[in-house]
Amino acid sequence: MAKKSLGFLLSILLTLVCCAGCGGDLQTNDNSPDKKSESGAGKAQAAVKKIIEPSQLISRIEAESFTREKLQEAQNDEKQAVGMKKCFYGAASGDSGNFFQISVQQSLFMPQTALESGQNPKTIFENTKKILSDGRIDLKGLGDDAFIGTIALHILKDDYYITIRLGNPNGKENRKELEAAGRKALENLQSLLI
């Protein structure tokens, strides 16, 4: 029962994080791609894999091609309880509310206790998909599974759960750009895993 409760709480936390979008207190951190986490499951797997940073999936320059305007340098945040690393690129112009945000959840960055309770990127993705059933747009051909919900693109690929938000808060207007950004993120992920 405790494992189910922990799983439910983690799913709610994920939903709140996704719904918070660009809110929250993001900080600019030095999250270079060569850095390895020494926490949780990362200790055991660090020799085999490395933690993927969201800016490795979509760079600022790539994000600008989807928003069609200049963006600021990345602001990074992380929520290790759900294995999430988040990258936010705000508009360079103070007059624009445009933005690009990408997050990636991965088992390698999750605490061992969460993994032991049955939480992983796939279970979090599946729970989120159930929660966002109203108005959800299921997509084919992006990763293992994908959908648009709560004005964001959600993609599951292997052990990675990627979420992308961009532009204004109307996801339907941004669908073409969201899907293109998703394809680019998956392409970059594949090259990182080779």
Side-chain angles (χ1 to χ4, degrees):
M1 184 70 174
K3 286 183 181 182
K4 287 184 179 180
S5 295
L6 179 60
F8 181 70
L9 289 174
L10 286 173
S11 295
I12 290 174
L13 177 62
L14 167 66
T15 301
L16 292 174
V17 169
C18 288
C19 292
C22 59
D25 53 336
L26 294 169
Q27 300 172 358
T28 303
N29 298 326
D30 177 17
N31 288 327
S32 62
D34 296 332
K35 254 188 190 177
K36 290 185 173 56
S37 172
E38 290 301 319
S39 58
K43 288 180 188 176
Q45 298 176 352
V48 179
K49 293 181 177 180
K50 66 179 181 175
I51 292 175
I52 302 295
E53 298 293 334
S55 59
Q56 292 176 285
L57 299 179
I58 299 286
S59 69
R60 180 182 56 82
I61 302 298
E62 290 167 331
E64 289 174 346
S65 73
F66 301 115
T67 61
R68 296 186 189 96
E69 70 177 83
K70 291 285 183 192
L71 299 172
Q72 298 174 357
E73 291 300 319
Q75 294 177 321
N76 299 294
D77 192 21
E78 52 191 45
K79 306 274 187 255
Q80 190 174 10
V82 291
M84 178 188 288
K85 288 185 165 276
K86 182 168 48 173
C87 177
F88 178 82
Y89 302 105
S93 167
D95 297 334
S96 173
N98 216 355
F99 67 89
F100 187 98
Q101 178 179 291
I102 182 167
S103 65
V104 60
Q105 291 175 267
Q106 51 202 308
S107 294
L108 191 59
F109 189 61
M110 295 180 85
Q112 191 63 37
T113 54
L115 294 170
E116 289 169 357
S117 73
Q119 290 301 300
N120 58 56
K122 183 176 181 179
T123 60
I124 295 171
F125 175 90
E126 289 170 348
N127 288 335
T128 303
K129 188 173 181 180
K130 287 177 192 171
I131 291 168
L132 301 178
S133 62
D134 289 343
R136 183 183 76 217
I137 302 168
D138 293 328
L139 303 172
K140 302 273 188 226
L142 280 175
D144 301 330
D145 196 359
F147 67 93
I148 294 176
T150 65
I151 64 171
L153 172 62
H154 301 258
I155 302 171
L156 179 67
K157 176 64 177 161
D158 299 328
D159 193 39
Y160 300 93
Y161 174 11
I162 300 166
T163 307
I164 299 173
R165 295 183 65 205
L166 70 98
N168 60 53
N170 189 337
K172 290 179 182 172
E173 289 181 14
N174 297 325
R175 180 173 175 176
K176 180 180 172 185
E177 290 82 4
L178 280 171
E179 290 185 42
R183 284 189 293 277
K184 184 62 178 173
L186 290 170
E187 177 186 316
N188 290 339
L189 176 63
Q190 187 63 36
S191 68
L192 291 167
L193 297 178
I194 294 175

